[in-house]
Amino acid sequence: MNAVRAILFDKDGTLIDFDRTWGPAAGGVMARLAGTDGAALSRLHEVSHYVAERRQFLQTSPLIAGSSRQYGPLWAQVLGRPASEAFFVEIDELFIEEGQAHLAPLGRPSAALARLARLGLPLGIATNDSERNARIQADILGLTDLLAAIYGHDSGHGSKPLPGMVRAFAELTGLPTSAVALVGDTHHDLMTARAAGALSILVRSGPGPIDAFAGEADLVVDDVEALTELFLEPA
């Protein structure tokens, strides 16, 4: 823990319960996009690897780690719409609305991050969600005043697994990337940290198992609260 001087957190599956938030939210977004076209809705479920009856994604879903710019072209093809920036923005806006309606935190992230902030650690969020939605959700969860930065896929630094968000945070804090830890629940998060030369911390609180790649991380913990306890343990 002594090597960590700043922490970037993934959002979904790390601070927010992915299944309880985005399972029902995605179902609502797809239903709104499909309208009265039942066949299109079924096809959206299929390409999204989404089980409508359970309102959950399969582990193979491109929505678990990807941004609307990554899975959006699939949706555009199903709906017969152009895979344009306007369509991707529409997806993001719908997810903002549905995400607020179903937002479910993992534990008490505001308390956990407050404890880390009191140690003098700069904190931030790096997500493949839109920056606007990340800021809205961080505000609802009481995290905004604890964060030095919030980055989304559209913040100008690229989306994960590209290293841009980590590098931007290192520059903001005046630290080398080797002193920044990226905490997340997916292989995308692991690859992002490695590409940036940052420390990688995996949490087991996401929607999918991490055992296949956990050995590549610098540290594996159950959740953010467990990570906080490690920082507070006597040296």
Side-chain angles (χ1 to χ4, degrees):
M1 294 299 99
N2 290 336
V4 179
R5 297 170 60 192
I7 307 176
L8 265 180
F9 293 92
D10 168 56
K11 179 168 67 69
D12 304 313
T14 302
L15 301 173
I16 290 173
D17 190 309
F18 185 91
D19 284 332
R20 289 172 58 207
T21 300
W22 297 118
V29 170
M30 287 186 276
R32 290 171 69 176
L33 287 171
T36 59
D37 190 339
L41 180 58
S42 295
R43 182 64 180 146
L44 283 175
H45 293 165
E46 182 181 353
V47 300
S48 303
H49 301 193
Y50 180 77
V51 183
E53 295 78 12
R54 299 204 307 263
R55 300 205 297 181
Q56 287 185 342
F57 295 97
L58 299 176
Q59 304 303 323
T60 52
S61 174
L63 277 75
I64 289 180
S67 73
S68 58
R69 276 62 175 174
Q70 292 164 321
Y71 64 80
L74 287 173
W75 285 17
Q77 184 178 16
V78 168
L79 297 169
R81 296 181 57 175
S84 63
E85 182 65 17
F87 179 61
F88 303 149
V89 169
E90 181 181 349
I91 292 174
D92 288 343
E93 290 297 315
L94 289 173
F95 266 113
I96 287 173
E97 295 175 16
E98 295 290 337
Q100 287 185 69
H102 300 284
L103 183 62
L106 280 166
R108 297 172 58 231
S110 61
L113 268 62
R115 296 173 79 186
L116 294 171
R118 285 196 291 270
L119 297 176
L121 292 166
L123 308 176
I125 285 177
T127 176
N128 271 350
D129 196 356
S130 69
E131 180 181 326
R132 180 166 172 249
N133 200 27
R135 289 187 178 279
I136 289 171
Q137 293 186 334
D139 196 50
I140 293 171
L141 296 176
L143 303 178
T144 301
D145 291 342
L146 302 171
L147 301 171
I150 299 176
Y151 303 118
H153 70 78
D154 53 357
S155 298
H157 307 293
S159 58
K160 296 183 288 187
L162 297 175
M165 295 188 225
V166 179
R167 290 175 177 168
F169 191 60
E171 183 176 353
L172 175 71
T173 58
L175 296 169
T177 55
S178 59
V180 176
L182 176 60
V183 182
D185 66 301
T186 70
H187 197 243
H188 266 38
D189 296 307
L190 175 65
M191 291 191 296
T192 301
R194 293 181 66 180
L199 298 162
S200 59
I201 299 177
L202 288 175
V203 290
R204 296 187 180 277
S205 53
I210 64 171
D211 295 332
F213 51 89
E216 302 174 49
D218 293 298
L219 178 68
V220 180
V221 294
D222 285 339
D223 51 33
V224 168
E225 291 183 358
L227 174 64
T228 303
E229 293 301 324
L230 292 180
F231 276 93
L232 296 172
E233 284 181 358

